[in-house]
Coordinates of all heavy atoms in Angstrom, one line a residue:
M1111 N -17.1 -8.6 -11.3 CA -16.5 -7.5 -11.9 C -15.2 -7.9 -12.6 O -14.4 -8.7 -12.1 CB -16.2 -6.4 -10.9 CG -15.4 -5.2 -11.4 SD -15.0 -3.9 -10.2 CE -16.6 -3.0 -10.3
A1112 N -14.9 -7.4 -13.8 CA -13.7 -7.7 -14.5 C -12.5 -7.0 -13.9 O -12.6 -6.0 -13.2 CB -13.8 -7.2 -15.9
R1113 N -11.4 -7.6 -14.0 CA -10.1 -7.1 -13.5 C -9.0 -7.2 -14.6 O -9.1 -8.0 -15.5 CB -9.6 -8.0 -12.3 CG -10.4 -7.9 -11.0 CD -9.7 -8.6 -9.9 NE -8.3 -8.3 -9.8 CZ -7.7 -7.3 -9.1 NH1 -8.5 -6.3 -8.7 NH2 -6.4 -7.1 -9.0
L1114 N -8.0 -6.3 -14.5 CA -7.0 -6.4 -15.5 C -5.9 -7.3 -14.9 O -5.6 -7.3 -13.8 CB -6.4 -5.0 -15.7 CG -7.4 -4.1 -16.3 CD1 -6.8 -2.6 -16.4 CD2 -7.8 -4.5 -17.7
K1115 N -5.2 -8.0 -15.8 CA -4.1 -8.9 -15.5 C -2.7 -8.3 -15.9 O -1.8 -9.1 -16.1 CB -4.3 -10.3 -16.1 CG -5.7 -10.9 -15.7 CD -5.7 -12.4 -16.2 CE -5.6 -12.5 -17.7 NZ -5.7 -13.8 -18.1
V1116 N -2.6 -7.0 -16.1 CA -1.4 -6.5 -16.5 C -0.2 -6.8 -15.7 O 0.8 -7.3 -16.1 CB -1.5 -4.9 -16.6 CG1 -0.2 -4.2 -16.9 CG2 -2.6 -4.5 -17.6
R1117 N -0.3 -6.6 -14.4 CA 0.7 -7.0 -13.4 C 1.1 -8.4 -13.5 O 2.3 -8.8 -13.6 CB 0.4 -6.6 -12.0 CG 1.4 -6.9 -11.0 CD 1.2 -6.0 -9.7 NE 0.9 -6.9 -8.6 CZ 0.6 -6.5 -7.4 NH1 0.4 -5.1 -7.2 NH2 0.4 -7.2 -6.4
Q1118 N 0.1 -9.3 -13.4 CA 0.4 -10.8 -13.5 C 1.1 -11.1 -14.7 O 2.1 -11.9 -14.7 CB -1.0 -11.5 -13.4 CG -0.9 -13.0 -13.6 CD -2.3 -13.7 -13.6 OE1 -3.3 -13.0 -13.4 NE2 -2.2 -14.9 -13.9
I1119 N 0.7 -10.6 -15.9 CA 1.4 -11.0 -17.1 C 2.8 -10.4 -17.2 O 3.7 -11.1 -17.7 CB 0.5 -10.7 -18.4 CG1 -0.8 -11.6 -18.4 CG2 1.3 -10.8 -19.6 CD1 -1.8 -11.1 -19.4
A1120 N 2.9 -9.1 -16.8 CA 4.2 -8.5 -16.8 C 5.2 -9.2 -16.0 O 6.4 -9.5 -16.4 CB 4.1 -7.0 -16.4
Q1121 N 4.8 -9.6 -14.8 CA 5.7 -10.3 -13.8 C 6.0 -11.7 -14.4 O 7.2 -12.1 -14.2 CB 5.1 -10.3 -12.4 CG 5.1 -9.0 -11.8 CD 4.4 -9.0 -10.4 OE1 3.5 -9.8 -10.1 NE2 4.8 -8.1 -9.6
Q1122 N 5.1 -12.4 -15.0 CA 5.5 -13.7 -15.6 C 6.6 -13.5 -16.7 O 7.4 -14.4 -16.9 CB 4.3 -14.3 -16.3 CG 3.2 -14.8 -15.3 CD 1.9 -15.2 -16.0 OE1 1.7 -15.0 -17.1 NE2 1.0 -15.8 -15.2
Q1123 N 6.6 -12.3 -17.3 CA 7.6 -12.0 -18.4 C 8.9 -11.4 -17.8 O 9.8 -11.0 -18.5 CB 7.0 -11.1 -19.4 CG 6.0 -11.8 -20.2 CD 5.4 -10.9 -21.3 OE1 6.0 -9.9 -21.7 NE2 4.2 -11.3 -21.8
G1124 N 8.9 -11.2 -16.4 CA 10.1 -10.7 -15.7 C 10.2 -9.1 -15.8 O 11.3 -8.6 -15.6
L1125 N 9.1 -8.5 -16.1 CA 9.0 -7.1 -16.2 C 8.5 -6.4 -14.9 O 7.5 -6.9 -14.4 CB 8.1 -6.6 -17.4 CG 8.6 -7.0 -18.8 CD1 7.5 -6.6 -19.8 CD2 9.9 -6.3 -19.2
N1126 N 9.1 -5.4 -14.5 CA 8.6 -4.6 -13.4 C 7.8 -3.4 -13.9 O 7.8 -3.2 -15.2 CB 9.7 -4.2 -12.4 CG 10.7 -3.2 -13.0 OD1 10.4 -2.4 -13.9 ND2 11.9 -3.3 -12.5
L1127 N 7.2 -2.7 -13.1 CA 6.4 -1.5 -13.5 C 7.2 -0.5 -14.4 O 6.7 -0.1 -15.4 CB 5.9 -0.8 -12.2 CG 4.5 -0.1 -12.2 CD1 3.9 -0.2 -10.9 CD2 4.7 1.3 -12.7
S1128 N 8.3 -0.1 -14.0 CA 9.1 0.9 -14.8 C 9.5 0.3 -16.1 O 9.4 1.1 -17.1 CB 10.4 1.2 -14.0 OG 11.2 2.1 -14.6
Q1129 N 9.9 -0.9 -16.2 CA 10.2 -1.5 -17.4 C 9.0 -1.6 -18.4 O 9.2 -1.3 -19.6 CB 10.8 -2.9 -17.2 CG 12.1 -3.0 -16.5 CD 12.5 -4.3 -16.0 OE1 11.7 -5.1 -15.6 NE2 13.8 -4.6 -16.1
L1130 N 7.9 -1.9 -17.9 CA 6.7 -1.9 -18.7 C 6.3 -0.5 -19.2 O 6.0 -0.3 -20.3 CB 5.5 -2.6 -17.9 CG 4.2 -2.6 -18.7 CD1 4.3 -3.4 -20.0 CD2 3.1 -3.2 -17.8
Q1131 N 6.5 0.4 -18.3 CA 6.2 1.8 -18.7 C 7.0 2.3 -19.9 O 6.6 2.8 -20.8 CB 6.4 2.7 -17.5 CG 6.0 4.2 -17.8 CD 7.1 5.0 -18.2 OE1 8.3 4.8 -17.8 NE2 6.8 6.0 -19.0
K1132 N 8.3 2.0 -19.8 CA 9.3 2.3 -20.9 C 8.9 1.6 -22.2 O 8.9 2.1 -23.2 CB 10.6 2.1 -20.4 CG 11.1 3.0 -19.4 CD 12.5 2.8 -18.9 CE 12.9 3.6 -17.7 NZ 14.1 3.2 -17.1
K1133 N 8.7 0.3 -22.0 CA 8.4 -0.5 -23.2 C 7.1 -0.2 -23.9 O 7.0 -0.1 -25.1 CB 8.3 -2.0 -22.7 CG 8.4 -3.0 -23.9 CD 8.6 -4.4 -23.4 CE 8.7 -5.4 -24.5 NZ 8.8 -6.8 -24.1
A1134 N 6.1 0.2 -23.1 CA 4.8 0.6 -23.7 C 4.7 2.1 -24.1 O 3.9 2.4 -25.0 CB 3.7 0.4 -22.6
G1135 N 5.5 2.9 -23.5 CA 5.6 4.3 -24.0 C 4.4 5.1 -23.5 O 3.9 6.0 -24.1
V1136 N 3.9 4.7 -22.3 CA 2.7 5.5 -21.8 C 3.2 6.1 -20.4 O 4.2 5.6 -19.9 CB 1.5 4.6 -21.5 CG1 0.9 4.0 -22.9 CG2 1.8 3.4 -20.7
T1137 N 2.4 7.0 -19.9 CA 2.8 7.6 -18.6 C 2.8 6.7 -17.5 O 2.1 5.8 -17.4 CB 1.8 8.8 -18.3 OG1 0.6 8.3 -18.0 CG2 1.8 9.8 -19.5
M1138 N 3.7 7.0 -16.5 CA 3.8 6.2 -15.3 C 2.5 6.2 -14.5 O 2.0 5.1 -14.1 CB 4.9 6.6 -14.4 CG 5.1 5.7 -13.2 SD 5.4 4.0 -13.6 CE 7.1 4.0 -14.0
P1139 N 1.8 7.3 -14.4 CA 0.5 7.2 -13.7 C -0.5 6.3 -14.3 O -1.2 5.6 -13.7 CB 0.0 8.7 -13.7 CG 1.2 9.5 -13.8 CD 2.1 8.7 -14.7
S1140 N -0.5 6.2 -15.7 CA -1.4 5.3 -16.4 C -1.0 3.9 -16.1 O -1.9 3.0 -15.8 CB -1.4 5.6 -17.9 OG -2.0 6.8 -18.2
V1141 N 0.2 3.6 -16.2 CA 0.7 2.3 -16.0 C 0.4 1.8 -14.6 O -0.1 0.6 -14.3 CB 2.2 2.1 -16.3 CG1 2.7 0.7 -15.9 CG2 2.6 2.3 -17.7
R1142 N 0.6 2.7 -13.6 CA 0.3 2.3 -12.2 C -1.2 2.0 -12.0 O -1.6 1.0 -11.3 CB 0.7 3.5 -11.2 CG 2.2 3.7 -11.1 CD 2.5 4.8 -10.1 NE 2.0 4.4 -8.8 CZ 2.6 3.7 -7.9 NH1 3.8 3.2 -8.2 NH2 2.1 3.5 -6.7
R1143 N -2.1 2.7 -12.7 CA -3.5 2.4 -12.6 C -3.8 1.1 -13.1 O -4.6 0.3 -12.5 CB -4.4 3.5 -13.3 CG -4.4 4.8 -12.6 CD -5.6 5.7 -13.2 NE -5.2 6.1 -14.5 CZ -4.5 7.1 -14.9 NH1 -3.9 7.9 -14.0 NH2 -4.3 7.4 -16.1
Y1144 N -3.3 0.7 -14.2 CA -3.6 -0.6 -14.8 C -2.8 -1.7 -14.1 O -3.3 -2.8 -14.0 CB -3.2 -0.6 -16.3 CG -4.1 0.3 -17.1 CD1 -4.1 1.7 -17.0 CD2 -5.0 -0.2 -18.0 CE1 -4.9 2.5 -17.7 CE2 -5.9 0.6 -18.7 CZ -5.8 1.9 -18.6 OH -6.7 2.7 -19.3
W1145 N -1.6 -1.4 -13.6 CA -0.8 -2.4 -12.8 C -1.5 -2.8 -11.6 O -1.7 -4.0 -11.2 CB 0.5 -1.8 -12.5 CG 1.5 -2.7 -11.9 CD1 1.6 -2.9 -10.5 CD2 2.5 -3.5 -12.4 NE1 2.7 -3.7 -10.3 CE2 3.3 -4.1 -11.5 CE3 2.9 -3.7 -13.8 CZ2 4.3 -4.9 -11.7 CZ3 4.1 -4.5 -14.1 CH2 4.7 -5.1 -13.0
Y1146 N -2.0 -1.8 -10.8 CA -2.7 -2.0 -9.5 C -4.1 -2.2 -9.6 O -4.8 -2.5 -8.6 CB -2.3 -0.9 -8.5 CG -0.8 -1.0 -8.1 CD1 0.0 0.1 -8.4 CD2 -0.3 -2.1 -7.4 CE1 1.4 0.0 -8.0 CE2 1.0 -2.1 -6.9 CZ 1.8 -1.0 -7.3 OH 3.2 -1.0 -7.0
N1147 N -4.7 -1.9 -10.7 CA -6.2 -2.0 -10.8 C -7.0 -1.1 -10.0 O -8.0 -1.4 -9.5 CB -6.7 -3.5 -10.6 CG -6.9 -4.3 -11.8 OD1 -7.4 -3.8 -12.7 ND2 -6.5 -5.5 -11.7
T1148 N -6.3 0.1 -9.8 CA -6.9 1.1 -8.9 C -7.1 2.4 -9.6 O -6.3 2.7 -10.5 CB -6.2 1.3 -7.6 OG1 -4.9 1.8 -8.0 CG2 -6.1 0.1 -6.7
R1149 N -8.1 3.2 -9.2 CA -8.4 4.4 -10.0 C -7.3 5.4 -9.8 O -7.0 6.2 -10.7 CB -9.7 5.0 -9.3 CG -10.2 6.2 -10.1 CD -11.6 6.5 -9.6 NE -11.8 7.9 -9.9 CZ -12.5 8.8 -9.2 NH1 -13.1 8.4 -8.1 NH2 -12.7 10.0 -9.6
D1150 N -6.6 5.5 -8.6 CA -5.6 6.4 -8.4 C -4.1 5.9 -8.6 O -3.2 6.6 -8.4 CB -5.7 7.0 -7.0 CG -5.6 6.0 -5.8 OD1 -5.3 4.9 -6.2 OD2 -5.8 6.3 -4.7
G1151 N -4.0 4.7 -8.9 CA -2.7 4.1 -9.1 C -1.9 3.7 -7.9 O -0.8 3.3 -8.0
K1152 N -2.6 3.7 -6.7 CA -2.0 3.2 -5.6 C -2.3 1.7 -5.4 O -3.2 1.2 -5.9 CB -2.5 4.0 -4.4 CG -2.2 5.4 -4.4 CD -2.6 6.2 -3.2 CE -2.2 7.6 -3.3 NZ -2.7 8.5 -2.2
S1153 N -1.4 1.0 -4.6 CA -1.5 -0.4 -4.4 C -2.9 -0.8 -3.9 O -3.3 -1.9 -4.1 CB -0.3 -1.0 -3.7 OG -0.3 -0.4 -2.4
I1154 N -3.5 0.1 -3.0 CA -4.8 -0.2 -2.4 C -5.6 1.0 -2.7 O -5.2 2.1 -2.4 CB -4.6 -0.5 -0.9 CG1 -3.8 -1.7 -0.7 CG2 -6.0 -0.7 -0.3 CD1 -3.5 -2.1 0.8
G1155 N -6.8 0.8 -3.2 CA -7.7 1.9 -3.4 C -8.9 1.5 -4.2 O -9.1 0.3 -4.4
E1156 N -9.7 2.5 -4.6 CA -10.9 2.2 -5.3 C -10.6 1.6 -6.6 O -9.7 1.9 -7.3 CB -11.6 3.6 -5.6 CG -13.0 3.5 -6.3 CD -13.6 4.8 -6.5 OE1 -13.3 5.8 -5.8 OE2 -14.4 4.9 -7.4
P1157 N -11.3 0.5 -6.9 CA -11.0 -0.2 -8.2 C -11.2 0.6 -9.4 O -12.0 1.5 -9.5 CB -12.1 -1.3 -8.2 CG -12.7 -1.4 -6.8 CD -12.5 0.0 -6.2
L1158 N -10.4 0.3 -10.4 CA -10.4 0.9 -11.7 C -11.7 0.4 -12.4 O -12.0 -0.7 -12.4 CB -9.2 0.5 -12.5 CG -9.0 1.1 -13.9 CD1 -8.7 2.6 -13.7 CD2 -7.8 0.4 -14.6
K1159 N -12.5 1.4 -12.8 CA -13.7 1.1 -13.5 C -13.8 1.4 -14.9 O -14.7 0.9 -15.7 CB -14.9 1.7 -12.8 CG -15.1 1.3 -11.3 CD -16.2 2.0 -10.6 CE -16.3 1.5 -9.2 NZ -17.2 2.2 -8.4
E1160 N -13.0 2.3 -15.5 CA -12.9 2.6 -16.8 C -11.5 2.4 -17.4 O -10.5 2.7 -16.6 CB -13.3 4.1 -17.0 CG -14.8 4.4 -16.6 CD -15.2 5.8 -16.8 OE1 -14.3 6.5 -17.3 OE2 -16.3 6.1 -16.4
V1161 N -11.3 2.0 -18.6 CA -10.0 1.9 -19.2 C -9.9 2.7 -20.5 O -11.0 2.9 -21.2 CB -9.6 0.4 -19.5 CG1 -9.5 -0.4 -18.2 CG2 -10.6 -0.2 -20.4
D1162 N -8.8 3.2 -20.8 CA -8.6 3.8 -22.1 C -8.0 2.8 -23.1 O -7.0 2.2 -22.8 CB -7.5 5.0 -21.9 CG -7.2 5.8 -23.1 OD1 -7.1 5.1 -24.2 OD2 -7.0 7.0 -23.0
L1163 N -8.8 2.5 -24.1 CA -8.4 1.5 -25.0 C -6.9 1.7 -25.7 O -6.3 0.7 -25.9 CB -9.4 1.3 -26.1 CG -10.7 0.7 -25.6 CD1 -11.7 0.6 -26.8 CD2 -10.6 -0.6 -25.0
S1164 N -6.6 3.0 -25.8 CA -5.3 3.2 -26.5 C -4.2 2.8 -25.4 O -3.2 2.3 -25.8 CB -5.1 4.7 -26.8 OG -5.2 5.5 -25.7
V1165 N -4.4 3.0 -24.1 CA -3.4 2.6 -23.1 C -3.4 1.1 -23.0 O -2.3 0.5 -23.0 CB -3.7 3.3 -21.7 CG1 -2.9 2.7 -20.7 CG2 -3.6 4.8 -21.9
L1166 N -4.6 0.5 -23.0 CA -4.7 -0.9 -22.9 C -4.0 -1.6 -24.1 O -3.3 -2.5 -24.0 CB -6.1 -1.4 -22.8 CG -6.4 -2.9 -22.4 CD1 -5.9 -3.1 -21.0 CD2 -7.8 -3.2 -22.5
S1167 N -4.2 -1.1 -25.3 CA -3.6 -1.5 -26.5 C -2.0 -1.4 -26.4 O -1.3 -2.4 -26.8 CB -4.1 -0.9 -27.7 OG -5.4 -1.2 -27.9
A1168 N -1.5 -0.3 -26.0 CA -0.1 -0.1 -25.8 C 0.5 -1.1 -24.8 O 1.6 -1.7 -25.1 CB 0.2 1.4 -25.4
L1169 N -0.1 -1.3 -23.7 CA 0.4 -2.2 -22.7 C 0.3 -3.7 -23.3 O 1.3 -4.5 -23.1 CB -0.5 -2.2 -21.4 CG -0.4 -0.9 -20.6 CD1 -1.4 -0.9 -19.6 CD2 1.0 -0.8 -20.1
A1170 N -0.7 -4.0 -24.0 CA -0.8 -5.3 -24.6 C 0.3 -5.6 -25.7 O 1.0 -6.6 -25.7 CB -2.2 -5.5 -25.3
A1171 N 0.5 -4.6 -26.5 CA 1.6 -4.7 -27.4 C 2.9 -4.8 -26.8 O 3.8 -5.7 -27.2 CB 1.6 -3.4 -28.4
A1172 N 3.2 -4.1 -25.7 CA 4.4 -4.2 -25.0 C 4.6 -5.5 -24.4 O 5.8 -6.1 -24.2 CB 4.5 -3.1 -23.9
L1173 N 3.5 -6.2 -23.9 CA 3.5 -7.5 -23.4 C 3.5 -8.6 -24.4 O 3.6 -9.8 -24.1 CB 2.5 -7.6 -22.3 CG 2.6 -6.7 -21.1 CD1 1.3 -6.7 -20.3 CD2 3.7 -7.2 -20.3
G1174 N 3.2 -8.3 -25.7 CA 3.1 -9.3 -26.7 C 1.8 -10.2 -26.6 O 1.9 -11.3 -27.0
V1175 N 0.8 -9.5 -26.2 CA -0.5 -10.2 -26.1 C -1.6 -9.4 -26.7 O -1.5 -8.2 -27.0 CB -0.9 -10.6 -24.6 CG1 0.2 -11.5 -24.0 CG2 -1.1 -9.3 -23.7
E1176 N -2.8 -10.0 -26.9 CA -4.0 -9.3 -27.4 C -4.5 -8.5 -26.1 O -4.5 -9.0 -25.0 CB -5.0 -10.3 -27.9 CG -4.5 -11.0 -29.2 CD -4.4 -10.1 -30.4 OE1 -5.2 -9.1 -30.5 OE2 -3.4 -10.4 -31.2
A1177 N -5.1 -7.4 -26.4 CA -5.7 -6.5 -25.3 C -6.7 -7.3 -24.5 O -6.8 -7.2 -23.3 CB -6.3 -5.3 -25.9
N1178 N -7.5 -8.2 -25.2 CA -8.5 -8.9 -24.4 C -7.9 -9.9 -23.4 O -8.5 -10.4 -22.5 CB -9.5 -9.7 -25.3 CG -8.9 -10.7 -26.2 OD1 -7.6 -10.8 -26.4 ND2 -9.6 -11.6 -26.7
Q1179 N -6.6 -10.3 -23.6 CA -5.9 -11.2 -22.7 C -5.6 -10.6 -21.4 O -5.2 -11.2 -20.4 CB -4.7 -11.8 -23.3 CG -5.1 -12.8 -24.5 CD -3.7 -13.3 -25.2 OE1 -3.2 -12.6 -26.0 NE2 -3.4 -14.5 -24.8
L1180 N -5.7 -9.2 -21.4 CA -5.4 -8.5 -20.2 C -6.6 -8.3 -19.2 O -6.4 -7.8 -18.1 CB -4.8 -7.1 -20.5 CG -3.5 -7.0 -21.3 CD1 -3.1 -5.6 -21.6 CD2 -2.4 -7.7 -20.5
I1181 N -7.7 -8.7 -19.7 CA -9.0 -8.7 -19.0 C -9.3 -10.0 -18.5 O -9.4 -11.0 -19.2 CB -10.1 -8.0 -19.8 CG1 -9.6 -6.7 -20.4 CG2 -11.3 -7.9 -19.0 CD1 -10.5 -6.1 -21.4
E1182 N -9.6 -10.0 -17.1 CA -10.0 -11.3 -16.5 C -11.5 -11.1 -16.0 O -11.7 -10.1 -15.3 CB -9.1 -11.6 -15.3 CG -9.5 -12.9 -14.6 CD -8.4 -13.1 -13.5 OE1 -8.3 -12.3 -12.6 OE2 -7.8 -14.1 -13.7
N1183 N -12.4 -11.9 -16.4 CA -13.8 -11.9 -16.0 C -13.8 -12.1 -14.5 O -13.0 -13.0 -14.0 CB -14.6 -12.9 -16.7 CG -16.0 -12.8 -16.5 OD1 -16.5 -12.1 -15.6 ND2 -16.8 -13.4 -17.4
G1184 N -14.7 -11.5 -13.8 CA -14.8 -11.7 -12.4 C -14.9 -13.1 -11.9 O -14.5 -13.5 -10.8
E1185 N -15.7 -13.9 -12.7 CA -15.8 -15.4 -12.3 C -14.5 -16.1 -12.4 O -14.3 -17.0 -11.7 CB -16.9 -16.0 -13.2 CG -18.2 -15.3 -13.0 CD -19.2 -15.5 -14.2 OE1 -18.8 -16.1 -15.1 OE2 -20.3 -14.9 -14.1
E1186 N -13.7 -15.7 -13.3 CA -12.4 -16.4 -13.5 C -11.5 -16.0 -12.3 O -10.6 -16.8 -12.0 CB -11.7 -16.0 -14.8 CG -12.5 -16.4 -16.0 CD -11.9 -15.9 -17.3 OE1 -10.7 -15.3 -17.2 OE2 -12.5 -16.0 -18.3
A1187 N -11.6 -14.9 -11.8 CA -10.7 -14.4 -10.7 C -10.9 -15.1 -9.4 O -10.0 -15.1 -8.5 CB -11.0 -12.9 -10.4
K1188 N -12.0 -15.8 -9.2 CA -12.3 -16.5 -7.9 C -11.4 -17.7 -7.7 O -10.9 -18.4 -8.5 CB -13.7 -17.0 -7.9 CG -14.7 -15.8 -7.8 CD -16.1 -16.3 -7.8 CE -17.1 -15.2 -7.8 NZ -18.4 -15.6 -7.7

């Protein structure tokens, strides 16, 4: 299963969750879902299975990467 690398890339750039939210201009609940890869935005929970491309694009732009760079194939995650 694919996973999002939003948190990993943001932390490499020295950004925390709040800073990324402000920079991307999306709601905190959305950022939390993509940051933690969970449906409810909590650090532990059911995996996120659907993404909103406009949110993913906003996060990618804020991080200075292409949207596809935020997605990690399940085989790469091992």
Side-chain angles (χ1 to χ4, degrees):
M1111 174 182 277
R1113 290 187 46 82
L1114 295 176
K1115 299 191 302 183
V1116 173
R1117 180 161 119 185
Q1118 176 185 353
I1119 293 171
Q1121 289 178 332
Q1122 287 172 352
Q1123 295 182 15
L1125 295 173
N1126 65 30
L1127 209 149
S1128 180
Q1129 292 167 322
L1130 177 59
Q1131 184 266 328
K1132 289 175 185 171
K1133 194 171 180 181
V1136 297
T1137 67
M1138 183 57 80
S1140 291
V1141 175
R1142 288 183 62 85
R1143 284 193 298 275
Y1144 291 70
W1145 184 274
Y1146 291 115
N1147 262 318
T1148 58
R1149 187 172 162 214
D1150 61 6
K1152 295 182 180 175
S1153 61
I1154 297 174
E1156 184 178 335
L1158 185 65
K1159 295 180 182 173
E1160 296 179 7
V1161 296
D1162 181 322
L1163 291 179
S1164 63
V1165 173
L1166 192 65
S1167 294
L1169 292 170
L1173 293 168
V1175 299
E1176 297 292 324
N1178 66 339
Q1179 291 177 282
L1180 296 178
I1181 302 169
E1182 179 175 64
N1183 190 343
E1185 294 158 5
E1186 296 172 12
K1188 292 181 182 176

